[in-house]
Amino acid sequence: MANDVDRLDEQLAQENGHFHALLERHRSLDGEIDKLEDGRGHVEDLELSRLKRERLYVKQQLEFMRRRRQPNGQ
């Protein structure tokens, strides 16, 4: 299943610049949040919460675009 999503993401990223930008932003936020949670960075709890909300919002946009692309919501 993950491989199917990865393939779909790659295809959508090639075809759609907005999807590509969202995917890159999500990956960037993942890395930033992981770094902060692992103690390798310093940030206020409020800022970490903001980053997590943004990551969730971007993830929801990506999922919406994936569902629109897949036939019958598969």
Side-chain angles (χ1 to χ4, degrees), residues 2-16:
N3 288 335
D4 291 340
V5 172
D6 291 341
R7 279 191 291 263
L8 179 60
D9 284 355
E10 184 178 318
Q11 184 178 7
L12 282 169
Q14 289 175 357
E15 296 172 0
N16 186 316

Side-chain angles (χ1 to χ4, degrees), residues 2 6 21 25 28 45 48 58 70 72:
D6 291 341
R25 181 62 181 153
S28 173
D45 289 342
L48 183 58
V58 170
Q70 292 177 323
N72 301 324

Side-chain angles (χ1 to χ4, degrees), residues 40-51:
R40 292 179 278 147
H42 176 72
V43 70
E44 298 294 323
D45 289 342
L46 192 59
E47 178 65 10
L48 183 58
S49 179
R50 186 197 65 78
L51 292 171

Side-chain angles (χ1 to χ4, degrees), residues 26 54-64 66:
H26 189 268
E54 182 181 353
R55 179 180 62 179
L56 177 60
Y57 177 72
V58 170
K59 181 179 179 179
Q60 289 171 335
Q61 289 181 314
L62 291 168
E63 287 297 323
F64 175 77
R66 287 178 188 123

